Every structure is written in structure tokens, then in C-alpha cells.
């Protein structure tokens, strides 16, 4: 039994003991997304007729579950929350509380496969959030709507219609609606089809945004075009689009989109060997990410770059440790992939092989949830670095060749070239 397996078993036994003893606060300290523990504390608060504490526990659980987009409380938990709201008169229940209930029920329908019902709830809830001037909830309702359309293979069409409608008719909340679609646009950029489809859509939408004189719309379109150019290996063109995207999104106060633009600019700096510049961009991005409701996703992605940008063994170890603190239960799995593979590669290159296998096994499990895309290619590349560090050169070369082939299929020439260079770098 290896060390990581033993630690996992010890932690599980500790959790079981806490659960058996009803030590719910300690369980939450161990796993903030433990729904049984949160529900137990909500029920205790309700028994004491402490409405405020029951609502606080629900919101804490909701925020921790939302680290992974599309995951929400169960129907039983929402029912407890509704009991807490019922403890007060209707006049004292504020709109945000009702909207949170509606969003939570929408997620229940989404997870049950009732996508049309989830979409209906999302649209109704977004209208309520608009009327109550609640920008985060506008973004969350848009994310729910986008997820439902993604499950029905209709997201590009929905995003196109949403973009045109909001840029032209409802400019005040454009950036918050777009925040709700950002993770989905990133997912589509990294799909098995590659980035060409999203790039074509972004070119059309840029023209729409320019006609409407929308900074947020132009910024988002430039962000998508910059990312597509980066993946295509056109660094200069990518930098031009991304720099313009950052400027426009700053003017629109679209925090999440601006942080993504900064993230991609830092990637370009790393591609050019400019670790000092990448580090400066990463620090700026991490600071700005704290302002966004999507901060768990943005910070995770930035931390992956921080591992790659670290310039000394001590700094690498510190950044990996900081990244490990982010990999809590409920952390967004797609957003964690770059961090897991970057940490595994850095550890393998440093000869810390005992830590590598667990990280790559976790990454392999996550990559297996989606067919195609760059995650599987990145995993093959990391396995190649691991096998080389283990002095298994034949297996290392096979892994690098597989990674290069997969990157070629996705139209990512620079990633392909890096893997081919690894094949020729031994000895």
C-alpha cells in the first residue's frame, strides 16, 4: 500500500468516526461540501427556530457545491431551506433568497435530466434577478440555461442568440450574462472538435458587438478569437486579440473575462520563455479573480500557470503546495486538469516520483469523463515525463508520440511540437 492510499484510508476512517458521533462542524471543516453535515446543522438551527443560521448553512453549502458548475443542493436540502424561509413572514424574505431557491430547484431538474424544465426555471429566475438588480444571480441563471442547452447539444446556437439579444437590447447586464457562459465557451474551445467552430462564431459576434458599440461584447469576442489563435499557434495574433480583450473587458468591468484574457497572455509569455512576465500577469490575474463569483475556477487555472512559471525548485514546491490546497472535494474537475498535470510534470522532473502517480491517476479519471479534447493529450504528455523519470524510455517515447498525435488532431501545432521535441530530447 502506498502512502497516498494509506492517507486516504485514514482520512475516510476519521470522517466515518465524525459522522457516527454527529460531529458535524468538524466534518464541514474537513469537507465544506459535505451535504449530510450541512443538512444536520440546518435541521438543528430550524429546531431552535434560528432562521438566520439555517439560511447561512444553506448558502455555505451552495457556494461550496458551486465550485463545480452545475452541481447544486439536493431536493431534501432545498426543502429545509424553504422551511427556514417560512419561519418569517413573506415581507421579510428578500428577493435574493427566493432566487437562490429557484436556482437550486433548477439544478435539481438539470441533474434529473429535465433540461427543458431547467431552462424554463433559468429564464424565469434571470428575469427576477434582473428586476432585483442582482448581477451574480443573473450570471448563475445564465449558467444554468447554458448547461441545459449544452446537455441538449444546443449551446452554440443558444450562445449566439443570447449574445445578439443582450448586446443589442440589454447592455447593462451583458457582462454578467456572459460570465454565466464563460465556462461553457471554454469547454467548447477544448472539445473534441477543437477551437475552429468557436472561432467562426466569435468572428460573427465581434461584428455584432462593434455595430452595437458594446465593450463587453467586443471584449468577449476578442477573448475567444485570441484563445483560438493561441491554440492554433499564432502567438502574435493571439496577443493582439487578448490585449484588446483585456482592455475592453476592463472598461466593461467584466472581471471573469478579463482574468481569462490575462491567463492566456501569461501562457503566451511562458511559450516565449518569459517567466518573469508570466509571473507578473499571474499575480495580477489572481488578485482580480477574487472579485468574481467564478473565483474558484479562475484561481485554479491561474495556479496551474504559477507552477509552470516558478523559476527555482523551492518556488515550484511552494506553488504546488498552494495548488494542492485548492484541490478540495467539489473543486471544478475540468478546471483542475491543468493544475494536476502541471504539478505532476514538475514533480517528475524534480525526481519526486512518489507524488506523481496519484495526481495522474486523478487526472486520468477526470479526462475519461470527456472524449477527445486536450485533457487526454496533456495526460499522455505528463505520463511521458513520468516514464522518462522512471528510466522507462520506450514507454516515455510512446506516450509523447500519442500526445503529439492527439494535439495534431486538435489543430494545436505548438503543443504537438513540444511533445515531438520531448521525444528528441533524451540523452
Amino acid at each position: 500500500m502506498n502512502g497516498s492510499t494509506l492517507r486516504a484510508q485514514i482520512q475516510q476512517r476519521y470522517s466515518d468516526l465524525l459522522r457516527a458521533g454527529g460531529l458535524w462542524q468538524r466534518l464541514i471543516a474537513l469537507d465544506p461540501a459535505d451535504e449530510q453535515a450541512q443538512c444536520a446543522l440546518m435541521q438543528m438551527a430550524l429546531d431552535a427556530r434560528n432562521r438566520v443560521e439555517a439560511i447561512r448553512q444553506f448558502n455555505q453549502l451552495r457556494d461550496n457545491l458551486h465550485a463545480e458548475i452545475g452541481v447544486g443542493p439536493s431536493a431534501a436540502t432545498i426543502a429545509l431551506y424553504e422551511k427556514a424561509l417560512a419561519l418569517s413572514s413573506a415581507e421579510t424574505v428578500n428577493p435574493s433568497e427566493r432566487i437562490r431557491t429557484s436556482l437550486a430547484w433548477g439544478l435539481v431538474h438539470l441533474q434529473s435530466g429535465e433540461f427543458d424544465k431547467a431552462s424554463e426555471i433559468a429564464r424565469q429566475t434571470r428575469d427576477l434577478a434582473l428586476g432585483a438588480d442582482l448581477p451574480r444571480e443573473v450570471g448563475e441563471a445564465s449558467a444554468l440555461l447554458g448547461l441545459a442547452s449544452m446537455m441538449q447539444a444546443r449551446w452554440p446556437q443558444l450562445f449566439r442568440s443570447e449574445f445578439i439579444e443582450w448586446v443589442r437590447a440589454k447592455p447593462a447586464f451583458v457582462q454578467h450574462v456572459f460570465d454565466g457562459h464563460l465556462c461553457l465557451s471554454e469547454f467548447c474551445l477544448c472539445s473534441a472538435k477543437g477551437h475552429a467552430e468557436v472561432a467562426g462564431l466569435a468572428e460573427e459576434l465581434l461584428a455584432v458587438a462593434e455595430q452595437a458599440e458594446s465593450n463587453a461584447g467586443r471584449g468577449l469576442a476578442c477573448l475567444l478569437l485570441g484563445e483560438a489563435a493561441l491554440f492554433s499557434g499564432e502567438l502574435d495574433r493571439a496577443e493582439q486579440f487578448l490585449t484588446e480583450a483585456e482592455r475592453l473587458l476592463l472598461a466593461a468591468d467584466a472581471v471573469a473575462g478579463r482574468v481569462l484574457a490575462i491567463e492566456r497572455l501569461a501562457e503566451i509569455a511562458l511559450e516565449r520563455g518569459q517567466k518573469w512576465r508570466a509571473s507578473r500577469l499571474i499575480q495580477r490575474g489572481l488578485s482580480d479573480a477574487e472579485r468574481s463569483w467564478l473565483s474558484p475556477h479562475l484561481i485554479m487555472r491561474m495556479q496551474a500557470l504559477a507552477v509552470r512559471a516558478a523559476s527555482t525548485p523551492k518556488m515550484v514546491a511552494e506553488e504546488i503546495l498552494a495548488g494542492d490546497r485548492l484541490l478540495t472535494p467539489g473543486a471544478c474537475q475540468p478546471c483542475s486538469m491543468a493544475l494536476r498535470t502541471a504539478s505532476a510534470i514538475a514533480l517528475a522532473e524534480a525526481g519526486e516520483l512518489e507524488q506523481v502517480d496519484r495526481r495522474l491517476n486523478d487526472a486520468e479519471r477526470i479526462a475519461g469523463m470527456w472524449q477527445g479534447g486536450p485533457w487526454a493529450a496533456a495526460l499522455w504528455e505528463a505520463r511521458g515525463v513520468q516514464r522518462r523519470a522512471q528510466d522507462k524510455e520506450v514507454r516515455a517515447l510512446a506516450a509523447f508520440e500519442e500526445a503529439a498525435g492527439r494535439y495534431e488532431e486538435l489543430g494545436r501545432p505548438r503543443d504537438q511540437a513540444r511533445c515531438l521535441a520531448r521525444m528528441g530530447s533524451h540523452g
Side-chain angles (χ1 to χ4, degrees):
M1 182 184 299
N2 62 37
S4 61
T5 302
L6 179 60
R7 283 193 297 274
Q9 289 188 356
I10 291 171
Q11 186 176 37
Q12 184 58 53
R13 288 175 185 173
Y14 179 52
S15 297
D16 292 343
L17 286 171
L18 294 178
R19 207 176 300 280
L23 300 174
W24 307 119
Q25 290 285 9
R26 292 190 186 181
L27 257 176
I28 289 171
L30 191 66
D31 178 6
D34 190 305
E35 191 159 6
Q36 182 186 8
Q38 294 280 11
C39 281
L41 291 173
M42 284 180 70
Q43 187 62 62
M44 290 167 62
L46 286 171
D47 291 343
R49 298 193 66 77
N50 187 342
R51 169 187 181 275
V52 172
E53 178 60 18
I55 289 174
R56 188 190 71 79
Q57 291 292 345
F58 177 84
N59 288 333
Q60 179 178 320
L61 172 64
R62 174 179 173 272
D63 287 344
N64 282 305
L65 288 175
H66 267 63
E68 183 168 356
I69 291 288
V71 177
S74 67
T77 304
I78 301 169
L80 285 175
Y81 179 65
E82 290 180 325
K83 286 183 181 179
L85 296 182
L87 286 177
S88 296
S89 65
E91 290 77 15
T92 62
V93 177
N94 63 52
S96 66
E97 291 172 342
R98 295 193 185 281
I99 288 167
R100 289 191 191 105
T101 307
S102 183
L103 284 171
W105 279 118
L107 284 169
V108 169
H109 287 292
L110 181 77
Q111 292 155 11
S112 300
E114 302 171 80
F115 304 131
D116 288 339
K117 183 64 175 176
S119 296
E120 178 186 348
I121 290 173
R123 292 185 186 279
Q124 292 172 348
T125 306
R126 189 165 65 182
D127 287 343
L128 291 173
L130 279 167
D133 196 26
L134 296 170
R136 170 173 175 166
E137 284 75 10
V138 169
E140 290 186 348
S142 298
L144 175 58
L145 182 62
L147 282 164
S149 71
M150 181 76 78
M151 297 298 183
Q152 297 169 299
R154 298 201 305 239
W155 180 81
Q157 296 87 342
L158 172 76
F159 180 61
R160 180 183 181 278
S161 63
E162 287 261 288
F163 187 105
I164 293 172
E165 175 188 354
W166 286 82
V167 160
R168 289 178 173 170
K170 303 173 183 177
F173 277 78
V174 162
Q175 62 267 40
H176 307 300
V177 173
F178 290 169
D179 278 357
H181 285 284
L182 274 179
C183 274
L184 302 174
S185 66
E186 292 297 300
F187 185 89
C188 285
L189 278 164
C190 295
S191 70
K193 295 180 181 178
H195 44 272
E197 180 180 7
V198 175
L201 176 62
E203 287 177 356
E204 177 192 357
L205 298 183
L206 178 58
V208 173
E210 286 177 341
Q211 185 180 35
E213 298 182 351
S214 167
N215 281 336
R218 289 167 60 206
L220 180 59
C222 285
L223 169 63
L224 296 176
L225 287 168
E227 289 181 294
L230 172 61
F231 298 159
S232 298
E234 303 171 60
L235 297 191
D236 291 342
R237 185 167 183 265
E239 187 172 36
Q240 290 174 359
F241 274 123
L242 292 167
T243 301
E244 180 68 357
E246 185 192 358
R247 183 187 71 79
L248 291 165
L249 294 169
L250 176 63
D253 196 28
V255 179
R258 187 172 78 254
V259 172
L260 277 179
I262 293 170
E263 174 197 340
R264 298 306 190 186
L265 287 168
E267 283 190 47
I268 292 173
L270 287 173
E271 283 282 321
R272 292 173 170 159
Q274 300 169 340
K275 285 191 173 184
W276 58 273
R277 183 166 182 265
S279 295
R280 288 168 56 185
L281 287 164
I282 291 164
Q283 290 307 309
R284 179 148 57 92
L286 284 170
S287 176
D288 289 348
E290 295 287 353
R291 293 180 50 213
S292 171
W293 66 276
L294 290 169
S295 59
H297 305 263
L298 300 171
I299 291 171
M300 184 94 66
R301 295 164 64 101
M302 280 292 180
Q303 193 58 41
L305 293 180
V307 171
R308 292 174 55 195
S311 55
T312 68
K314 181 181 178 183
M315 290 172 65
V316 170
E318 289 172 350
E319 296 297 355
I320 289 175
L321 183 59
D324 285 347
R325 296 192 190 103
L326 301 174
L327 296 174
T328 57
C332 178
Q333 294 183 338
C335 287
S336 76
M337 278 295 294
L339 177 58
R340 294 180 193 277
T341 53
S343 297
I345 287 173
L347 288 165
E349 291 177 339
E352 302 286 343
L353 293 175
E354 70 281 356
Q355 297 189 50
V356 173
D357 217 41
R358 169 180 59 83
R359 296 171 189 276
L360 292 186
N361 287 341
D362 288 342
E364 192 163 23
R365 172 182 55 79
I366 296 167
M369 297 178 184
W370 296 277
Q371 297 302 312
W375 295 304
L379 182 60
W380 277 109
E381 182 179 0
R383 285 289 188 200
V385 176
Q386 179 194 32
R387 298 309 181 210
R388 177 163 286 168
Q390 294 169 331
D391 292 325
K392 298 176 180 178
E393 186 60 16
V394 172
R395 295 179 67 181
L397 292 173
F400 291 140
E401 184 176 14
E402 180 68 24
R406 288 176 179 254
Y407 281 130
E408 182 180 20
E409 290 173 1
L410 292 167
R412 296 194 174 205
R414 295 188 70 86
D415 293 321
Q416 177 194 7
R418 183 183 62 250
C419 293
L420 292 175
R422 288 188 187 277
M423 292 180 67
S425 65
H426 185 55

